Amino acid sequence: MKKYMKYLMTGTLLTGFSFLFGSCNEDEVPSYGEMALDNNEVFIKIEGENPSAEVNILQGNGNYRVLVKDEGVAVARVEGAKVIFSGIANGETTATVMDWARKSAEVKIKVKEDFDLLLSESDLLIVKGENEGDAVDVSIRSGNGGYSVTTSDANVANAVLMENGRIRVTAGEGIGRAEVKVTDADGMEAVLNVLVANYRFAVAEEESGLGLLQGTEGFIQVMAYNESLDIVSDNEAVAVAELVVDEGTETMADEEAVPMARIKVTPKETGLAHISITDALGMNAVVEVKVVERLSTETKSIFWIPVPVEGYDGDDAAPVIVKVNGGSGDLSISDNKGGCIKGTVNGDEVSLIGNWKACSEDFNNGKNLVYVYISDNKTGDKLEIPVNIVEQPYLSKPTRRYWIKGDNPNGKGLTDIGYDDKKAKNYMRIGDNGLFGPAYNYSVYFEGDWTVGEKTGAELRKQTSGALTNISSLRIDKVEEVDGLIWYWISFIEEGNSWRSYMVGTSE
């Protein structure tokens, strides 16, 4: 029985192998088709945000991929049976499209980036005699190569291509306007507007403008022009203009004569006008004319302008404000003492502060007065305001100093305070150490203590003459201890004065 089963199994296996191998022959071996594309060359023109080209796979074996040789020129991706190429930069490269069976096809890629045709200038002025050979070079900043140039009027200007992307434009025999047209290999164009003139048109007041007072004529100076002038006011209710003097020519050494002209401007009423001046070549300048009232202020004099003291910001340190009426608004500040006073302008207000170190002379109360000048830079109008005193604020830092009627503000090296038994009054005196001891200039006497407040029985003695002057409203305004010294600020009104005199000092 076992023997029978052995033969039966052997026969069955042989029959199975015979069946398997008997079903396979050469005609039934799988075959793989070649890769086929609808285009083996693409051109990508870089324009817009996503420049690209597509190639369809007509025949292949699936599972496609693509390799680009130079991804600095283009990149590619596969979407189904489609290959999409994207341009990166100018150049040429190749891409290989492959399937899973290693069948492939090659695609040539050419990328062209269109550059705008740009020149270094869009307008060019050539003034004869200013450049060697009356020629000026203009650069081609970007473009697509293969450039050519033409000119609309060779009698005015000629143009030729030079090396390194430059165009040389040369003035012709005549003057006037011409267009130089530049064209590149892609047909892009750029136009250079050329103006050739005999003289560089210039008007002296073009930048600064002209300020006029009502009833006062002014003039505009044309420094050079070509052939003729056209003059127009845009607001004749405010100002009118006319050519009053054709000054002919001005000849410089070894140079050609230059035509010049003078234009009279007549103000009519306050306001703003613009005078347009144009020569025969269309070169133009516009001069702003402002007609204003004279400068005025209610501040006829200034008693005190404070000098800033570092660390002190009391009320008496505030700048003096002068309200200015009229004028062009273009103001400047000066004085007759070489910079004693600094001024800033904010609209119609002038802020004045002292610059004591710059004072060139002593001054005070009608003696060697400082004068502040507020000047209109456009019209030449000027205000003159006298100033009695420029000094550090009375209540500022402790320094031995005084200000007495008829004397200059003075800093001194010596003060003394005490009690006069004969007068039964306190006193402060101020001066310097002299050759034979203390030499005091002034002394004040008062009844009362050394605290802040009003005092009575006040007297002022001028030591040099011994004269005793009645004073009123004496008060101690401030008492301060600094570095172990007690300092006193004493002010009072002298007879005939409306302002307060003062002394500042200490006992040592």
Side-chain angles (χ1 to χ4, degrees), residues 32-81:
Y32 305 101
E34 297 297 321
M35 176 77 69
L37 308 176
D38 68 347
N39 195 353
N40 290 93
E41 186 172 345
V42 295
F43 174 76
I44 303 173
K45 191 172 184 179
I46 298 181
E47 291 179 343
E49 295 181 356
N50 188 29
S52 61
E54 296 181 357
V55 170
N56 293 307
I57 302 173
L58 301 178
Q59 180 177 307
N61 301 288
N63 196 16
Y64 303 111
R65 58 194 180 96
V66 59
L67 295 176
V68 178
K69 185 176 182 180
D70 186 352
E71 291 190 336
V73 174
V75 294
R77 68 182 187 275
V78 176
E79 293 184 0

Side-chain angles (χ1 to χ4, degrees), residues 165-199:
R166 291 180 297 120
I167 299 168
R168 178 157 295 173
V169 183
T170 306
E173 294 293 326
I175 61 173
R177 296 180 182 274
E179 286 187 355
V180 172
K181 185 181 291 185
V182 184
T183 307
D184 68 12
D186 284 359
M188 291 189 173
E189 295 181 349
V191 174
L192 176 65
N193 298 300
V194 181
L195 174 60
V196 177
N198 285 324
Y199 309 104

